[in-house]
């Protein structure tokens, strides 16, 4: 078990996942995905628990969790903004959109607003090049962005969250 001074997660929430997938080390990515769905990110004690139950080491589990960009090791806001920085998006103005988002929210890449509403993560590619520049917020895709359009989307989400 984790011997760090971290928040304790309800590890019982993982039991069904581990019962179904935990017997095969080839299922580690699936287990991490399911754990992230449950907790919203991968807390340290969850990493240790998964390692213990899958007869692995925390270093190996952490290695997988840090290698793949889909995994998060710290909590994110209610709205996770993934801004594409791939070639098509870059050429079509992603840097200006990032600047507008950062200035509007007062955060940088990897940051979360003080109210816990928004987190920003730049990603290498969202696979939506025909919509460039593009961002995803949670499961919704927004394309053909301008800095003004991106800020308007954020304001709409802020109003929606306040209701």
């Amino acid at each position: 078990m984790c011997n760090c001074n971290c928040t304790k997660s309800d590890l019982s929430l993982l039991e069904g996942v581990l019962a179904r997938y935990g017997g095969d080390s080839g299922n580690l990515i699936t287990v991490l995905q399911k754990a992230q769905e449950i907790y919203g990110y991968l807390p340290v004690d969850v990493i240790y628990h998964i390692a213990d139950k899958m007869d692995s080491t925390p270093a190996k589990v952490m290695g997988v969790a840090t290698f793949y960009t889909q995994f998060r090791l710290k909590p994110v806001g209610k709205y996770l903004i993934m801004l594409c920085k791939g070639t098509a998006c870059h050429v079509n103005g992603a840097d200006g959109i990032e600047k507008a988002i950062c200035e509007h929210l007062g955060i940088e890449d990897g940051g979360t607003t003080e109210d816990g509403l928004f987190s920003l993560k730049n990603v290498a590619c969202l696979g939506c090049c025909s919509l460039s520049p593009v961002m995803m917020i949670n499961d919704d895709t927004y394309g053909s962005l301008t800095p003004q359009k991106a800020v308007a989307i954020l304001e709409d989400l802020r109003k929606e969250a306040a209701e």
Side-chain angles (χ1 to χ4, degrees), residues 129-163:
C129 301
S130 64
L131 299 175
S132 69
V134 65
M135 68 180 172
M136 284 185 72
I137 301 178
N138 298 345
D139 294 326
D140 296 320
T141 303
Y142 301 90
S144 304
L145 293 172
T146 63
Q148 297 78 15
K149 185 175 175 182
V151 168
I153 291 165
L154 300 178
E155 279 308 299
D156 287 346
L157 290 172
R158 186 180 296 282
K159 287 176 190 168
E160 181 181 304
E163 293 174 355

Side-chain angles (χ1 to χ4, degrees), residues 4-65:
C4 63
N5 189 16
C6 56
T7 306
K8 300 298 177 204
S9 304
D10 181 356
L11 300 175
S12 69
L13 298 174
L14 267 182
E15 292 314 308
V17 171
L18 290 167
R20 182 169 181 187
Y21 301 104
D24 180 355
S25 63
N27 288 333
L28 178 56
I29 291 174
T30 301
V31 170
L32 291 172
Q33 289 169 329
K34 300 290 185 188
Q36 186 166 276
E37 286 175 19
I38 292 168
Y39 301 102
Y41 71 109
L42 297 172
V44 173
D45 61 336
V46 169
I47 298 268
Y48 274 77
H49 185 68
I50 290 169
D52 181 54
K53 296 297 183 184
M54 293 189 73
D55 199 27
S56 187
T57 65
K60 179 175 179 170
V61 175
M62 184 63 82
V64 172

Side-chain angles (χ1 to χ4, degrees), residues 75-126:
V76 294
K78 177 177 181 176
Y79 299 108
L80 174 59
I81 305 161
M82 291 185 292
L83 178 63
C84 183
K85 299 292 276 204
T87 302
C89 289
H90 174 74
V91 168
N92 286 308
D95 289 344
I97 292 162
E98 178 184 12
K99 181 179 180 194
I101 291 170
C102 291
E103 287 176 359
H104 184 72
L105 296 177
I107 59 173
E108 293 184 5
D109 180 30
T112 300
T113 57
E114 286 186 23
D115 62 5
L117 205 53
F118 295 99
S119 292
L120 174 63
K121 181 175 184 176
N122 288 334
V123 297
C125 184
L126 290 173

